[in-house]
Amino acid sequence: MSNMANTIFEGIKKIEKQLGPLSSAQKILLATDGSVTTILDVLTGHVTIRTLLQEFRSADADMAGLMDVDEGATVNYRIVVIEGKEPLIYAISIIPVDRLDNEFKEDLIRADIPIGRILKKHNIESRREIISVAVEESSQHLQEIFDTDSLMLTRTYNIIHKDQLLIWLKETFPINMFRE
Amino acid sequence: MSNMANTIFEGIKKIEKQLGPLSSAQKILLATDGSVTTILDVLTGHVTIRTLLQEFRSADADMAGLMDVDEGATVNYRIVVIEGKEPLIYAISIIPVDRLDNEFKEDLIRADIPIGRILKKHNIESRREIISVAVEESSQHLQEIFDTDSLMLTRTYNIIHKDQLLIWLKETFPINMFRE
């Protein structure tokens, strides 16, 4: 099995050992290399995003390492909540701006469009590498968004395009969601 | 909403109207643009494939239209069963041979490796377009494989690579599977 597959399966096994069985939907949301927007659309009806923060930042040393860019490079930092009738997934994305073509950049910055839908709209070929799968304590910020103090399931992954890291993502949702 | 999203959601809605609610896992397996192998791995443990047929064929008019190749072009036609402890998904794939690079071709023809895992191994960037989602009567062949006469959920989709159709796929599984 590949390292990435191990990351996913060992991560999920560890969570289940600690907290009991996860549902099929939860495991898929942690493991998939496909569009999370599409999965949420099909589970809950058409989802939208609410942007909590979108700004350009200058990459510090940590971020430069994470994104494989030079320190000081401009990145787009975005925090959104993907939601249907209620908040579903909290997502942080970091994108090195100089890797975007103009149309993609406009969609990303101006409109409240989920990344999966932007990639589809522009017919962008990519692959996704799961970096980590974990359970985390909540924070006051997340408790307010999801209106629960339950533990959070979370994962980080890269979307690779033309052999370069295009988007780093972290997605988080409460462990009491997607239980069906 | 895009045409593809409509195809998926209308297809699933129509099936649910006819047969009652599908499970989350079933809906995701019909809708996802990610690796089905990864999803099955995480739901059932590491899956393998059993090749029922693998041969080169000369594209007839129908297949040439489907695959956007010339009539008479050589395609790789493969039928496999993806299985864990039991058969999970019956999959037919058609690949125009001249669109494959050599390493990919060897993996595809010589080894029993699921396509999702081959794409990952070679770091292939791609996108998937869902063509259809439907329910079908079973056949004697499928009844023998799955040991059930239940109706079948099925979908067809394209894997696009470098703006060309790389793989056409049809996946089928009994409606009494992935119910949890």
Side-chain angles (χ1 to χ4, degrees):
Chain A
M1 209 183 296
S2 69
N3 284 338
M4 185 166 89
N6 265 328
T7 300
I8 300 169
F9 304 127
E10 295 306 315
I12 288 175
K13 219 182 282 176
K14 205 172 140 191
I15 295 169
E16 290 193 311
K17 208 169 167 183
Q18 188 186 344
L19 300 170
L22 299 179
S23 71
S24 294
Q26 289 177 326
K27 286 191 278 194
I28 293 169
L29 284 169
L30 292 175
T32 186
D33 64 350
S35 163
V36 169
T37 310
T38 298
I39 291 178
L40 296 179
D41 276 347
V42 85
L43 293 185
T44 70
H46 188 73
V47 298
T48 54
I49 62 173
R50 179 161 49 97
T51 303
L52 304 184
L53 176 69
Q54 186 269 310
E55 64 185 22
F56 295 113
R57 290 189 178 179
S58 184
D60 60 19
D62 283 353
M63 203 183 278
L66 194 71
M67 302 299 296
D68 192 22
V69 295
D70 293 335
E71 216 177 309
T74 304
V75 300
N76 187 66
Y77 187 93
R78 182 164 95 150
I79 303 180
V80 305
V81 179
I82 312 177
E83 52 193 8
K85 283 171 198 158
E86 52 177 3
L88 299 168
I89 288 183
Y90 177 88
I92 301 174
S93 64
I94 306 177
I95 306 186
V97 170
D98 65 2
R99 291 192 191 147
L100 298 180
D101 74 29
N102 283 334
E103 284 182 36
F104 188 95
K105 198 190 294 188
E106 272 178 36
D107 273 347
L108 195 80
I109 292 161
R110 287 171 31 186
D112 283 346
I113 311 179
I115 285 169
R117 231 172 262 150
I118 301 176
L119 294 172
K120 275 206 177 59
K121 178 180 166 194
H122 296 285
N123 287 342
I124 289 179
E125 298 173 8
S126 62
R127 61 187 179 84
R128 299 182 188 212
E129 285 182 342
I130 313 299
I131 307 166
S132 69
V133 168
V135 62
E136 286 181 358
E137 296 289 332
S138 192
S139 63
Q140 200 187 334
H141 180 52
L142 288 172
Q143 284 180 29
E144 282 165 12
I145 286 166
F146 289 109
D147 197 22
T148 173
D149 62 357
S150 87
L151 290 169
M152 296 283 156
L153 294 173
T154 186
R155 66 172 188 159
T156 57
Y157 62 100
N158 294 331
I159 300 180
I160 313 286
H161 175 60
K162 293 187 178 165
D163 294 320
Q164 285 192 309
L165 193 163
L166 182 65
I167 312 174
W168 178 94
L169 278 145
K170 178 179 165 103
E171 293 168 346
T172 305
F173 58 93
I175 199 164
N176 60 10
M177 285 184 60
F178 309 111
R179 296 292 322 175
E180 173 254 3
Chain B
M1 208 184 297
S2 69
N3 284 338
M4 184 166 88
N6 265 329
T7 299
I8 300 169
F9 304 128
E10 294 306 316
I12 288 174
K13 218 182 282 177
K14 205 173 140 192
I15 295 169
E16 290 193 311
K17 207 169 169 184
Q18 190 184 343
L19 301 169
L22 299 178
S23 71
S24 294
Q26 289 177 326
K27 284 190 278 193
I28 293 170
L29 283 168
L30 291 175
T32 185
D33 65 351
S35 164
V36 169
T37 310
T38 298
I39 291 177
L40 296 179
D41 276 347
V42 86
L43 292 185
T44 69
H46 188 74
V47 297
T48 54
I49 61 171
R50 179 161 49 98
T51 303
L52 304 183
L53 176 68
Q54 186 271 310
E55 64 185 21
F56 296 112
R57 291 190 177 178
S58 185
D60 60 18
D62 282 353
M63 203 183 279
L66 195 68
M67 303 298 296
D68 193 23
V69 295
D70 293 334
E71 216 177 311
T74 304
V75 300
N76 186 67
Y77 187 93
R78 184 164 94 151
I79 304 181
V80 306
V81 179
I82 312 177
E83 52 192 10
K85 282 171 195 156
E86 54 179 2
L88 298 168
I89 288 184
Y90 178 88
I92 301 174
S93 64
I94 307 177
I95 307 186
V97 170
D98 65 1
R99 289 189 192 151
L100 298 180
D101 73 32
N102 282 332
E103 283 181 37
F104 188 95
K105 198 190 293 187
E106 273 179 35
D107 273 347
L108 195 80
I109 291 161
R110 288 171 31 185
D112 282 347
I113 311 179
I115 285 169
R117 231 171 261 149
I118 301 176
L119 295 172
K120 278 208 174 58
K121 179 181 165 192
H122 296 285
N123 287 341
I124 290 178
E125 297 172 9
S126 62
R127 61 188 179 85
R128 299 181 189 215
E129 284 182 342
I130 312 300
I131 307 166
S132 69
V133 168
V135 63
E136 286 182 358
E137 295 288 331
S138 192
S139 64
Q140 201 187 331
H141 180 52
L142 288 172
Q143 284 181 28
E144 282 164 10
I145 285 166
F146 289 109
D147 197 22
T148 174
D149 62 358
S150 85
L151 289 169
M152 296 283 156
L153 294 173
T154 187
R155 66 173 188 159
T156 57
Y157 63 101
N158 293 331
I159 300 179
I160 312 286
H161 175 59
K162 294 186 178 166
D163 295 320
Q164 285 192 308
L165 193 163
L166 181 65
I167 312 175
W168 177 94
L169 279 144
K170 179 181 164 100
E171 293 168 345
T172 305
F173 57 94
I175 198 164
N176 59 11
M177 286 183 60
F178 309 109
R179 297 294 319 177
E180 172 253 2

